[in-house]
């Protein structure tokens, strides 16, 4: 590359740098110009005229202090914060001219933050200043409204004084305090301290609102204390005395003392109202109302219990009569059934036990009836005792019905066992026929012992069933034993027949190999001996199977499978 090329490159780079610098400067100048416009707008938002208006007002006290604070803040904005914006913008412009763009950007950011801060400060100062300047007029309007409400309170207190009872004096004192507060408000207003005046006015407004609520509530509470509660207590006392003359008693009887305490609580509530402690008075009145309700409920419970006792006594007499007759029949039935069956101790004595329970409950019932005739009693307690007796009678009735059912079930059990005996005898005859069908040369001794043992057990069960006084429990045990043994003889019979048939099927098969070995002939003869002489069919089959498996492994399994398949198809 020659010198001319290098010069061209340098010129190109210079031009690029110049253009880039020009673009950057243009951008920064636009940002600075925009913030200059915002600064001018802030400069036009002068609050000097509003502060001059405030100077013309006669302010004092807290209002004057607030005005001076706002003026100080405004002076700071004008003398410090606004000039600082100009300084930051000047610094930014200067940095741009020197192509120090990074420094220019920091100055621009600082200027932007300052503009935002000054804007917020001016808006806040303006808002508070306007409130301060409007306060005299607002106070005047609110004072007129408050004065009207105050006069209405005074008029109402005067014309309806008889409805406020012991609270009248305290209400008048509160009115006097409100009047003093009004004087304080006007004093602050005349001095120009409108902020302190507003605070007094706000408190006065709350006090008036509170008294308006009190004037609404007090007559209602006094109406309850002077008329409703006294009538309730009078009615309670009268009702109590009338019930006592009827020889009625009450549990933990402190009703008269409770009424006396409630009358004292009426005085307490009135004293609370006199002090304008309305929430405490309302809470005390609620407690009085709840206690009066409890006393009414206590007395009403005994009145209702008296009627319930009368009805339950009639029902219990009928129940005793019914259960006694039912028990008499149960004991007769127990004696009758006991002549035919051996009864368990529990079943045999069930009727007598029920009779003893009946007599015990009837004695308690008669004692209650005697006491009701001779002495005043607490009917709610008597009602509970009668209900307990009724529950006992229900249990006695359930027990007797269960005993009846158990006694009648004995006959049903006897029939079931007899039917089962007939069924087992049929099954034993079926076993015998099955054996006879195969025309066996004889039966193994062990099999015969089992067969006759089962036959004897069934006979023993039949004899037990024919007794004049049958023992059902013993019969049930014999029945269970017989069923087990019948099932056993059925299984062994099937196994015996299967062994015989398999022996008969294996014999011709092994005969084919008779000429092949002397062992085969010996096995056949030995098997026949066991089969015809010893009646040991298992041994007869085993001799044949062992020899056949030696000669032709697997042959017996095929014979056995074909036999089983044949049986399943039958």
């Amino acid at each position: 590359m020659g010198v001319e090329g290098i010069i061209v490159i340098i010129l190109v780079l210079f031009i690029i740098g110049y253009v880039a610098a020009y673009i950057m400067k243009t951008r920064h100048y636009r940002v600075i110009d925009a913030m200059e416009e915002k600064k001018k707008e802030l400069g036009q938002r002068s609050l000097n005229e509003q502060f001059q208006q405030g100077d013309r007002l006669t302010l004092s006290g807290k209002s004057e202090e607030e005005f001076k604070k706002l003026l100080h803040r405004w002076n700071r904005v004008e003398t410090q914060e606004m000039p600082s914006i100009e300084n930051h913008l000047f610094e930014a412009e200067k940095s741009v001219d020197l192509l120090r763009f990074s420094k220019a950007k920091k100055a621009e950011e600082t200027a932007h933050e300052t503009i935002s801060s000054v804007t917020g400060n001016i808006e806040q100062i303006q808002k508070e200043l306007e409130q301060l300047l409007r306060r005299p007029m607002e106070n005047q309007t609110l004072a007129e409204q408050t004065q009207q409400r105050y006069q209405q309170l005074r008029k109402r207190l005067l014309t309806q004084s008889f409805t406020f009872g012991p609270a009248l004096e305290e209400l008048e004192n509160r009115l006097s305090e409100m009047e003093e507060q009004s004087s304080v408000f006007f004093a602050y207003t005349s001095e120009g301290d409108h902020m302190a005046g507003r605070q007094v006015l706000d408190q006065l407004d709350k006090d008036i609102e509170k008294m308006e609520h009190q004037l609404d509530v007090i007559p209602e509470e006094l109406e309850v204390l002077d008329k409703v509660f006294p009538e309730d207590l009078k009615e309670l006392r009268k009702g109590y005395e009338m019930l006592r003359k009827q020889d009625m008693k009450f549990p933990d009887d402190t009703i008269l003392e409770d009424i006396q305490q409630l009358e004292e609580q009426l005085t307490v509530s009135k004293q609370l109202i006199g002090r304008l402690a309305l929430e405490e008075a309302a809470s005390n009145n609620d407690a009085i109302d709840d206690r009066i309700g409890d006393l009414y409920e206590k007395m009403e419970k005994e009145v209702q219990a008296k009627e319930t006792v009368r009805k339950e006594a009639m029902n219990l007499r009928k129940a005793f009569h019914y259960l006694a007759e039912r028990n008499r029949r149960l004991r007769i039935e127990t004696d009758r059934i006991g002549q035919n069956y051996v009864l368990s101790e529990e079943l045999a004595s069930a009727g007598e036990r029920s009779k003893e329970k009946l007599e015990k409950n009837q004695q308690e019932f008669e004692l209650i009836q005697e006491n009701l005739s001779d002495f005043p009693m607490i009917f709610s307690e008597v009602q509970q005792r009668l209900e307990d007796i009724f529950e006992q009678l229900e249990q006695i009735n359930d027990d007797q019905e269960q005993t009846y059912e158990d006694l009648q079930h004995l006959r049903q059990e006897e029939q079931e066992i007899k039917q089962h005996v007939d069924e087992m005898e049929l099954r034993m005859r079926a076993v015998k026929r099955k054996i006879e069908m195969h025309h066996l040369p004889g039966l193994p001794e062990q099999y015969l012992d089992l067969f006759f043992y089962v036959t004897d057990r069934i006979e023993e069960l039949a004899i037990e069933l024919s007794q004049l006084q049958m023992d059902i429990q013993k019969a049930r045990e014999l029945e269970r034993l017989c069923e087990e043994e019948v099932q056993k003889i059925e299984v062994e019979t099937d196994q015996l027949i299967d062994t015989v048939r398999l022996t008969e099927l294996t014999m011709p098969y092994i005969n084919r190999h008779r000429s092949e070995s002397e062992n085969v002939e010996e096995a056949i003869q030995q098997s026949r001996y066991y089969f015809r002489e010893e009646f040991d069919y298992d041994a007869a089959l085993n001799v044949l199977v062992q020899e056949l498996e030696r000669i032709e492994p697997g042959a017996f399994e095929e014979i056995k499978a074909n036999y089983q398949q044949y049986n399943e198809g039958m």
Side-chain angles (χ1 to χ4, degrees), residues 187-237:
Y188 279 131
T189 301
S190 63
E191 295 173 357
D193 192 350
H194 302 288
M195 183 176 289
R198 181 56 178 268
Q199 292 176 347
V200 174
L201 199 58
D202 288 342
Q203 183 60 47
L204 183 58
D205 182 70
K206 292 179 182 178
D207 292 343
I208 290 175
E209 184 178 356
K210 182 177 180 180
M211 182 173 284
E212 287 172 341
H213 173 70
Q214 291 171 339
L215 295 187
D216 290 336
V217 171
I218 289 173
E220 297 174 359
E221 295 291 342
L222 289 176
E223 175 77 13
V224 173
L225 290 170
D226 292 335
K227 294 182 179 180
V228 178
F229 285 164
E231 285 295 326
D232 287 342
L233 294 176
K234 181 180 178 181
E235 185 178 339
L236 278 173
R237 190 185 296 275

Side-chain angles (χ1 to χ4, degrees), residues 23 29 59 63 74 101 104 118 137 153 175 190 304 360 384 524 548 559:
I23 293 172
Y29 284 141
L59 300 176
S63 296
W74 174 246
F101 299 120
V118 170
M137 186 61 67
L153 285 179
L175 272 181
S190 63
Q304 292 177 353
K360 180 180 179 182
Q384 184 60 53
I524 291 173
L548 182 60
I559 295 171

Side-chain angles (χ1 to χ4, degrees), residues 507-526 528 547 551:
M507 182 67 74
Y509 200 95
I510 200 172
N511 257 334
R512 300 173 190 173
H513 303 282
R514 198 166 194 169
S515 60
E516 297 176 8
S517 172
E518 294 181 359
N519 292 337
V520 173
E521 178 64 26
E522 184 179 345
I524 291 173
Q525 294 303 322
Q526 188 175 5
R528 285 177 177 173
E547 185 61 25
I551 299 171

Side-chain angles (χ1 to χ4, degrees), residues 415-438:
Q415 294 302 318
E416 290 175 355
I417 296 173
K418 285 182 176 181
Q419 184 177 353
H420 196 190
V421 169
D422 292 341
E423 177 191 333
M424 288 188 290
E425 288 177 344
L426 288 174
R427 288 160 64 188
M428 289 299 293
R429 284 197 287 272
V431 166
K432 186 176 180 181
R433 283 197 301 272
K434 188 180 289 188
I435 291 293
E436 291 173 347
M437 284 174 59
H438 288 83

Side-chain angles (χ1 to χ4, degrees), residues 168-294:
L168 180 61
E169 183 178 352
E170 186 62 26
L171 289 171
E172 289 176 343
N173 291 338
R174 297 291 172 87
L175 272 181
S176 298
E177 292 175 1
M178 292 180 192
E179 190 170 356
E180 292 176 2
Q181 284 181 294
S182 296
S183 299
V184 172
F185 165 72
F186 287 117
Y188 279 131
T189 301
S190 63
E191 295 173 357
D193 192 350
H194 302 288
M195 183 176 289
R198 181 56 178 268
Q199 292 176 347
V200 174
L201 199 58
D202 288 342
Q203 183 60 47
L204 183 58
D205 182 70
K206 292 179 182 178
D207 292 343
I208 290 175
E209 184 178 356
K210 182 177 180 180
M211 182 173 284
E212 287 172 341
H213 173 70
Q214 291 171 339
L215 295 187
D216 290 336
V217 171
I218 289 173
E220 297 174 359
E221 295 291 342
L222 289 176
E223 175 77 13
V224 173
L225 290 170
D226 292 335
K227 294 182 179 180
V228 178
F229 285 164
E231 285 295 326
D232 287 342
L233 294 176
K234 181 180 178 181
E235 185 178 339
L236 278 173
R237 190 185 296 275
K238 182 179 178 181
Y240 173 79
E241 292 172 351
M242 180 181 67
L243 294 175
R244 288 295 290 133
K245 288 179 182 178
Q246 297 175 8
D247 291 332
M248 290 186 66
K249 293 178 66 178
F250 302 90
D252 301 324
D253 188 2
T254 59
I255 292 178
L256 289 179
E257 291 85 344
D258 292 341
I259 293 174
Q260 180 64 36
Q261 291 176 2
L262 290 173
E263 289 172 343
E264 294 172 358
Q265 287 302 309
L266 297 184
T267 303
V268 172
S269 286
K270 290 179 181 180
Q271 292 172 349
L272 291 170
I273 291 176
R275 299 199 303 268
L276 299 184
L278 300 188
E279 290 185 3
E280 296 178 40
S283 177
N284 196 54
N285 287 353
D286 289 341
I288 293 172
D289 187 54
D290 291 342
R291 189 65 186 122
I292 289 175
D294 292 342

Side-chain angles (χ1 to χ4, degrees), residues 145-167:
Q145 295 173 352
T146 303
Q147 187 65 23
Q148 288 177 359
R149 292 170 65 195
Y150 169 79
Q151 291 300 332
Q152 289 173 355
L153 285 179
R154 178 170 289 282
K155 180 179 179 182
R156 186 176 176 186
L157 198 61
L158 181 63
T159 57
Q160 302 176 14
S161 58
F162 60 92
T163 64
F164 302 114

